[in-house]
């Protein structure tokens, strides 16, 4: 064993089941500052009074990469591993020094961090260049309507056809656009995003198609390529397409038909190979009837139409979505919040979510900022979600006093249930004295039943 282990440059030790040292290589003996002959056969605690080998052998549990300070004052990163026989009894204890100096360990950690940072930066730059940040794995949903939308999106991504994403604001149309590009054969090319509602009408043409030098006052020397040129070979996402002016709709139609653009102020046509993914929360068919959206453009865009359902129509998706968003937001905000109480979840499930997933995310972020624990309770949710719905169905003849008392009783009851009848916390939240809270509990008979 000495011939085997002595040439190894990593300090190694072997103790028997009684913690006596049976083998130690030369580099470890030198590290401890003793001749090998004095170490062999001694109990390990006589050589190093801080050794944890007795504990490791009795617990039969290894200690991996532990920081250990030796009797001689040196600090290292060590492994201690119990070796068990066929009867699962301790036969030996095997140890080695992973790093002979904690500074050496810290240096390697810092180097790894620098490499990881450089790698992450490179990946972010590639994402920024290519544009598509999300894939189908980022889109959650098991409801029938959502499963159908995802299926349609996956099929659309494998075609060359234009895609039209329909749905209310906040349903995740942009996520679908990212995922469609990400899973298409254009995934390694650029994904350019344009919000048609955010760009003034007079600037939209130059933004989409670019301009030549001298096209207008302030035009950049040498001109500037537009979004369609930049996206050539890849995909362009035209968000809020329903807000595009009629004059621009005619020019967009020509690009879709001819596969070429002409810069503002220019005379040369430039061929472009672009896959268009458009999205809107408006009823384009109604707009076509009203004359505010071109019928021919609508049919050009409406080749692969995907309707993304609002959150209120996604059956049981709200709970899964809330937990996934909670995990994401906790990571972003640097706060560990991992649970939504049963009562709070019921409120989330019963709310109609006019703002869809975006509103759910905002509500959860607000709740995370308000809670002092790892759990979101009803008290951390906005009143529009937790408000007493009974007020909307008042019985005839109810007085203002009875309505207020009913509301007060409901609020106190909810807080008591939520906080396991912790009256100190409830009084603090409601900003009333404990004696006042006790009186109201007695008045409304809200004491928990005796077990």
């Amino acid at each position: 064993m000495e011939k085997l282990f002595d040439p190894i440059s990593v300090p190694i030790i072997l103790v028997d089941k009684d913690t006596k040292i049976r083998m130690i290589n030369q580099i470890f003996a030198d590290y401890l500052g003793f001749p090998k002959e004095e170490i062999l056969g001694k109990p390990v605690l006589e050589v190093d009074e801080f050794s944890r080998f007795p504990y490791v052998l009795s617990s039969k549990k290894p200690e991996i990469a532990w920081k250990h300070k030796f009797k001689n004052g040196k600090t290292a990163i060590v492994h201690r591993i119990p070796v068990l026989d066929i009867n699962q009894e301790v036969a030996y204890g095997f140890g080695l020094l992973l790093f002979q100096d904690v500074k050496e360990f810290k240096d390697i950690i810092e180097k790894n961090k620098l490499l990881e940072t450089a790698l992450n930066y490179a990946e972010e730059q590639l994402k920024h260049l290519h544009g598509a940040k999300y894939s189908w794995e980022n889109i959650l949903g098991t409801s029938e309507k959502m499963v159908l939308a995802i299926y349609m999106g996956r099929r659309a991504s494998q075609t060359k056809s234009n895609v039209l994403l329909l749905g209310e604001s906040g349903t995740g149309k942009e996520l679908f656009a990212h995922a469609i590009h990400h899973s298409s054969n254009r995934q390694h090319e650029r994904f350019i995003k344009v919000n048609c509602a955010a760009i003034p009408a007079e600037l939209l043409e130059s933004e989409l198609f670019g301009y030549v030098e001298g096209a207008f006052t302030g035009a950049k020397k040498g001109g500037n390529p537009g979004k369609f040129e930049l996206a050539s070979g890849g995909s362009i996402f035209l968000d809020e397409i329903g807000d595009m002016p009629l004059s621009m709709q005619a020019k967009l139609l020509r690009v879709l038909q001819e596969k070429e653009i002409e810069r503002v102020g220019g005379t040369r046509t430039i061929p472009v190979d672009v896959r268009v993914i458009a999205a809107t929360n408006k009823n384009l068919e109604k707009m076509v009837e009203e004359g505010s959206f071109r019928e021919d453009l609508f049919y050009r865009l409406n080749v692969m139409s995907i309707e993304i359902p609002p959150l209120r129509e996604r059956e049981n998706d709200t709970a899964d979505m809330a937990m996934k968003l909670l995990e994401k937001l906790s990571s972003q905000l640097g706060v560990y919040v991992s649970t939504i109480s049963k009562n709070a979840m019921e409120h989330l499930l019963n709310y109609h979510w006019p703002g869809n997933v975006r509103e759910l995310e905002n509500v959860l972020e607000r709740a995370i900022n308000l809670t002092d624990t790892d759990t979101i309770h009803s008290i951390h949710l906005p009143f529009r979600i937790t408000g007493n719905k009974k007020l909307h169905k008042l019985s005839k003849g109810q007085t203002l006093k009875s309505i207020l008392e009913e509301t007060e009783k409901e609020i106190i009851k909810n807080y008591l249930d939520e906080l396991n009848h912790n009256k100190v916390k409830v009084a603090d939240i409601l900003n009333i004295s404990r004696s006042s809270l006790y009186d109201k509990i007695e008045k409304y008979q809200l004491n928990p039943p005796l077990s």
Side-chain angles (χ1 to χ4, degrees), residues 89-323:
E89 296 298 328
V90 172
Y92 295 99
F94 176 75
L96 64 84
L97 268 63
L98 189 60
F99 295 99
Q100 298 181 40
D101 192 321
V102 170
K103 184 178 181 304
E104 178 188 0
F105 178 60
K106 287 180 178 177
D107 287 344
I108 288 176
I109 293 294
E110 287 303 315
K111 286 176 183 177
N112 281 341
K113 280 184 179 178
L114 289 173
L115 286 171
E116 189 176 346
T117 301
L119 180 61
N120 288 339
Y121 178 75
E123 287 177 350
E124 287 302 315
Q125 289 298 99
L126 282 172
K127 281 183 181 178
H128 179 72
L129 177 65
H130 292 156
K133 302 176 186 176
Y134 310 107
S135 64
W136 296 114
E137 285 68 36
N138 299 112
I139 301 177
L140 300 177
T142 57
S143 64
E144 185 178 348
K145 289 186 178 181
M146 197 61 178
V147 168
L148 177 60
I150 292 171
Y151 168 77
M152 291 289 291
R154 285 182 178 274
R155 291 304 298 261
S157 67
Q158 302 308 308
T159 72
K160 296 181 180 180
S161 302
N162 298 325
V163 180
L164 180 61
L165 302 172
L166 304 170
E168 296 177 9
S169 179
T171 50
K173 295 186 292 295
E174 184 169 341
L175 262 68
F176 267 76
H178 279 262
I180 288 169
H181 174 79
H182 189 272
S183 59
S184 73
N185 59 6
R186 296 172 180 258
Q187 61 180 298
H188 299 299
E189 302 299 332
R190 292 190 176 189
F191 177 71
I192 303 296
K193 303 176 288 291
V194 181
N195 189 320
C196 300
I199 303 170
E202 60 273 16
L203 298 179
L204 189 56
E205 183 177 3
S206 60
E207 186 74 16
L208 290 177
F209 308 134
Y211 57 83
V212 298
E213 184 177 341
F216 48 81
T217 304
K220 187 189 294 185
K221 187 177 181 181
N224 200 52
K227 301 297 188 184
F228 270 89
E229 276 186 76
L230 294 174
S232 192
S235 305
I236 188 166
F237 175 46
L238 300 178
D239 198 9
E240 308 293 355
I241 190 76
D243 292 287
M244 180 177 281
L246 274 169
S247 58
M248 275 303 302
Q249 292 178 28
K251 293 175 181 178
L252 174 60
L253 178 64
R254 182 177 179 276
V255 175
L256 297 181
Q257 289 174 334
E258 307 299 330
K259 305 292 185 185
E260 60 185 26
I261 59 105
E262 201 173 279
R263 289 189 182 185
V264 175
T267 56
R268 183 173 65 92
T269 58
I270 302 170
V272 290
D273 171 26
V274 179
R275 203 268 187 88
V276 174
I277 305 171
T280 183
N281 59 6
K282 296 187 175 181
N283 187 333
L284 292 187
E285 291 188 56
K286 187 177 179 182
M287 291 178 68
V288 168
E289 291 175 8
E290 295 170 348
S292 56
F293 200 87
R294 291 183 64 106
E295 184 177 17
D296 44 7
L297 177 59
F298 172 67
Y299 289 119
R300 275 283 175 183
L301 293 172
N302 196 33
V303 179
M304 293 290 291
S305 177
I306 302 170
E307 194 152 346
I308 304 170
L311 191 55
R312 63 183 172 276
E313 295 179 8
R314 290 173 56 178
E315 300 163 10
N316 300 320
D317 284 353
T318 304
D320 291 339
M321 184 70 68
M323 296 310 298

Side-chain angles (χ1 to χ4, degrees), residues 314-345:
R314 290 173 56 178
E315 300 163 10
N316 300 320
D317 284 353
T318 304
D320 291 339
M321 184 70 68
M323 296 310 298
K324 192 67 178 178
L325 287 172
L326 188 65
E327 181 184 342
K328 168 192 159 188
L329 290 167
S330 295
S331 176
Q332 287 179 353
L333 298 172
V335 181
Y336 183 71
V337 180
S338 61
T339 311
I340 300 174
S341 73
K342 183 179 178 181
N343 201 357
M345 183 62 82

